[in-house]
Amino acid sequence: MAWFYLIVAALFEVGWPLGFKMADTHPEHFVLYIILSIVSMALSGVFLYLAQRTIPISTAYIVWIGIGAVCTFIIGIVFFGDSASILRMLFALMILVGIIGMQLVTK
């Protein structure tokens, strides 16, 4: 169950930078997106707390931030026109490989 909590935490981790970006691109809904960012931050923290009760904190933190970073990277490319150069994709893949590796070696 701890790994489930960690993945949920990582998905909420994506919510706050996305909310900030939406607040910037849609200033007419600024307050709504900032509130969603704050709620997302809080839920991300709660689920990280639940996960790290079982998973070592070093592993939990690396996986949490890594999944959040890779998902945000993908959202940036798909929805906001961020660069999808080969090098950027390679380095994002390296983060993903590190996340998988941490999951494999954690007992």
Side-chain angles (χ1 to χ4, degrees):
M1 192 68 165
W3 283 102
F4 173 77
Y5 289 148
L6 187 55
I7 291 170
V8 171
L11 294 177
F12 278 115
E13 177 70 5
V14 173
W16 67 267
L18 180 59
F20 289 160
K21 181 67 172 178
M22 296 302 291
D24 181 53
T25 58
H26 299 286
E28 67 277 8
H29 300 295
F30 177 82
V31 173
L32 171 67
Y33 288 123
I34 294 301
I35 289 170
L36 289 174
S37 293
I38 293 167
V39 169
S40 185
M41 280 183 213
L43 290 171
S44 180
V46 167
F47 282 103
L48 176 62
Y49 162 75
L50 293 172
Q52 63 86 34
R53 292 187 308 176
T54 304
I55 300 169
I57 189 61
S58 58
T59 300
Y61 184 75
I62 290 170
V63 171
W64 172 68
I65 203 68
I67 291 173
V70 170
C71 288
T72 303
F73 172 75
I74 293 168
I75 288 170
I77 291 170
V78 172
F79 295 105
F80 298 105
D82 291 357
S83 170
S85 72
I86 295 297
L87 284 176
R88 289 188 85 221
M89 300 292 264
L90 174 67
F91 292 129
L93 180 62
M94 290 171 67
I95 293 170
L96 190 58
V97 168
I99 293 166
I100 293 167
M102 290 298 287
Q103 289 176 325
L104 292 174
V105 300
T106 301
K107 296 180 181 186

